[in-house]
Amino acid sequence: MDKLIIEGGRKLQGEINISGAKNAALPLIAATLLAPGWHVIRNVPDLRDTKTILALLESFGAVWKRDGNVLSINTEALTNLEASYDLVKTMRASILVLGPLLARMRKARVSLPGGCAIGARPIDFHLDGLSKMGARLDLEEGYVNASTGNRLSGGNIYFDIPSVTGTENILMASVLAKGVTVIKNAAREPEVGNLIDMLISMGADIEGKDTDRLIIHGVKDLRPAEVTTIPDRIETGTYMVAVGATGGEVTLRNCNPNHLPALTEKLKAAGLIIEETENSFFVSRPSKIQSVDIKTQPYPGFPTDLQAQLMALMSMANGLSVITEKIFENRFMHVAELKRMGAEIKINGNSAIVKGSKRLKGARVMATDLRASASLVVARLAAEGITEISRIYHLERGYEDMVGKLQALGANVRKEKE
Ligand code: EPU
């Protein structure tokens, strides 16, 4: 296992490129299961999670090659339709193969994802939706056995909560279904829009992109796709928050400022200077950060995937901040670690009350999940002294070359074996 050694206290300066979005690339890769032939996906980040989903596709019989950040995938010969526990347990998003396998192959066996560090995270919306479309689903020994005699049929699907991967799974199932599917209260995250663009380029008929009501007219078959992964808005946001923590002046290239409306407003209110072009952000921190309150919400609200990083920043701000987590019930794993570094945070139900103005210290901390780990990096970059963050494999699930990018911005960071 690797650990990260960070000597904090240096301002970030310079410019870096933002990578393709993990949470967009995963459904795009899963969607290649819908049509035989060579698909081309550009701007795919090289991460543990993208490696995991490619290993899953390979286990079905797909072949792929990577040239830089361009991925070519051929899912012509699918000989195995079982997603094994060993692969699914390391990444919940593996459930994204269920919809497309069922739509094209009419059969799939997918391990249930099991527990998760950030809450119960059930998949009932995925299963209820597929069942409404005519799929037969049996749960047996930790696996979902799914099948359909004929093509899936269109249905009316309503989500109690707009689920991102739920919307993506049902979209992928419905594009090849007979008839019309309507998804109400669909997720509007940009990653869902990226998938819709890919599916349309394959010949799918989908109305309502970027709205919470998607109407899908099923077609009989689809052709291979050529698509570009959108920039990672969470990676972008993480570096913006890091500049807030350390000070300095940073330009983030190849990003999409339109995808971060809530974060941009909050960081401006906290005192950061943020200038945007069509595909870049310039971020600087002229003076001390002021506290702001946030509440996580589905897009375009404040993303839950940036809550932990903002909490690290708020522990250094002037004043009191209330951070309310509305998406996941147990996403405060970073609080204990931030407290070890001297942050003053109290949890009250799904809110964290953060008393700012703390000078964080260099305690040894442990990464617990992907975004919690990112918050510890943000905190450590600003704290005085040298310390270690262990178990950084979590970070490698979702941040491409974080060490290289931070070094390019002048941070004193290196990776070592534990
Ligand atoms: N939910 C259900 N039943 C379901 C599905 C979801 O009750 O069948 C609930 C969840 O428990 C949660 C809410 O609905 O309370 C929303 O969850 P959602 O389904 O949207 O989450 P997800 O699709 O599993 C994706 C991202 C997460 C991100 C969330 C929220 C991917 C691969 N993952 O998860 O990303 O936090 O949306 O935006 O797209 C991360 O990258 O670190 C990460 C966790």
Side-chain angles (χ1 to χ4, degrees):
M1 264 194 282
D2 290 334
K3 63 184 177 187
L4 213 59
I5 316 285
I6 303 183
E7 181 176 357
R10 286 199 191 181
K11 289 184 177 173
L12 297 180
Q13 301 280 357
E15 52 180 79
I16 49 169
N17 286 328
I18 294 301
S19 300
K22 164 181 87 80
N23 288 348
L26 297 175
L28 299 185
I29 294 171
T32 64
L33 290 167
L34 285 165
W38 281 100
H39 300 257
V40 177
I41 312 179
R42 302 183 196 284
N43 202 28
V44 180
D46 194 8
L47 301 167
R48 280 174 84 98
D49 276 10
T50 45
K51 288 190 175 92
T52 301
I53 197 152
L54 286 168
L56 193 56
L57 261 62
E58 225 173 66
S59 77
F60 301 149
V63 287
W64 59 274
K65 52 191 185 208
R66 193 185 245 285
D67 182 7
N69 60 12
V70 180
L71 200 60
S72 305
I73 308 176
N74 190 324
T75 62
E76 190 104 41
L78 299 181
T79 45
N80 164 49
L81 301 177
E82 176 174 320
S84 73
Y85 176 67
D86 285 343
L87 284 167
V88 175
K89 74 172 184 215
T90 62
M91 190 185 70
R92 278 194 96 256
S94 307
I95 194 68
L96 284 167
V97 301
L98 182 59
L101 279 182
L102 198 51
R104 176 170 148 211
M105 309 305 288
R106 302 191 182 174
K107 218 174 141 184
R109 182 172 151 83
V110 178
S111 168
L112 290 168
C116 170
I118 60 172
R121 297 181 85 190
I123 53 159
D124 51 327
F125 299 167
H126 304 235
L127 300 184
D128 290 351
L130 292 171
S131 150
K132 283 215 174 92
M133 298 176 70
R136 281 189 301 275
L137 302 167
D138 300 312
L139 300 185
E140 182 203 50
E141 291 170 3
Y143 278 77
V144 186
N145 288 324
S147 62
T148 170
N150 298 310
R151 278 166 75 193
L152 290 169
S153 38
N156 265 312
I157 287 146
Y158 168 79
F159 289 129
D160 284 337
I161 307 170
S163 161
V164 176
T165 50
T167 303
E168 292 163 348
N169 231 341
I170 300 302
L171 264 170
M172 290 187 278
S174 64
V175 285
L176 285 177
K178 210 164 144 203
V180 182
T181 301
V182 181
I183 311 179
K184 295 177 194 158
N185 205 21
R188 291 182 288 160
E189 269 65 6
E191 294 75 18
V192 176
N194 202 183
L195 174 64
I196 292 178
D197 285 340
M198 170 171 174
L199 295 172
I200 290 175
S201 83
M202 294 168 74
D205 182 351
I206 304 170
E207 294 166 45
K209 184 186 159 195
D210 298 333
T211 75
D212 62 0
R213 188 181 158 89
L214 299 173
I215 303 167
I216 304 106
H217 298 262
V219 295
K220 277 210 170 124
D221 43 41
L222 295 166
R223 53 182 178 267
E226 201 169 324
V227 64
T228 301
T229 314
I230 58 171
D232 197 315
R233 63 195 167 99
I234 306 305
E235 187 197 20
T236 310
T238 302
Y239 288 113
M240 291 169 80
V241 173
V243 178
T246 63
E249 295 186 342
V250 167
T251 301
L252 303 171
R253 301 213 180 277
N254 297 346
C255 60
N256 187 338
N258 290 332
H259 289 167
L260 282 158
L263 178 75
T264 309
E265 287 315 307
K266 289 293 175 184
L267 290 182
K268 282 182 181 166
L272 286 189
I273 290 180
I274 298 177
E275 290 160 20
E276 43 187 83
T277 68
E278 202 188 326
N279 59 5
S280 74
F281 267 125
F282 168 79
V283 190
S284 71
R285 191 195 73 181
S287 52
K288 191 156 167 47
I289 290 290
Q290 303 302 317
S291 66
V292 288
D293 294 341
I294 61 153
K295 208 177 262 181
T296 65
Q297 302 279 1
Y299 189 83
F302 193 95
T304 173
D305 290 344
L306 286 170
Q307 178 257 106
Q309 298 89 316
L310 199 98
M311 193 181 298
L313 180 63
M314 286 302 106
S315 60
M316 307 163 206
N318 263 337
L320 203 72
S321 161
V322 180
I323 297 181
T324 308
E325 173 56 55
K326 303 274 282 182
I327 307 290
F328 294 114
E329 73 274 23
N330 185 24
R331 208 173 197 184
F332 284 142
M333 310 280 288
H334 41 287
V335 170
E337 300 297 308
L338 290 173
K339 281 166 88 167
R340 282 172 51 75
M341 295 176 64
E344 223 179 299
I345 305 170
K346 280 203 178 105
I347 304 280
N348 184 5
N350 63 350
S351 290
I353 296 119
V354 187
K355 194 168 166 203
S357 283
K358 290 287 153 204
R359 233 188 143 68
L360 298 187
K361 300 182 292 274
R364 252 185 95 164
V365 286
M366 192 168 78
T368 48
D369 74 59
L370 170 55
R371 308 304 172 186
S373 313
S375 82
L376 298 180
V377 173
V378 167
R380 290 296 316 126
L381 286 170
E384 305 264 304
I386 303 183
T387 43
E388 297 175 4
I389 302 181
S390 42
R391 297 202 187 169
I392 55 153
Y393 58 85
H394 288 292
L395 276 174
E396 290 166 352
R397 287 190 44 211
Y399 288 91
E400 192 177 47
D401 190 22
M402 187 183 239
V403 171
K405 289 186 189 187
L406 287 173
Q407 285 171 344
L409 295 178
N412 197 346
V413 182
R414 66 178 193 279
K415 202 160 91 168
E416 271 182 14
K417 292 260 170 263
E418 293 226 45

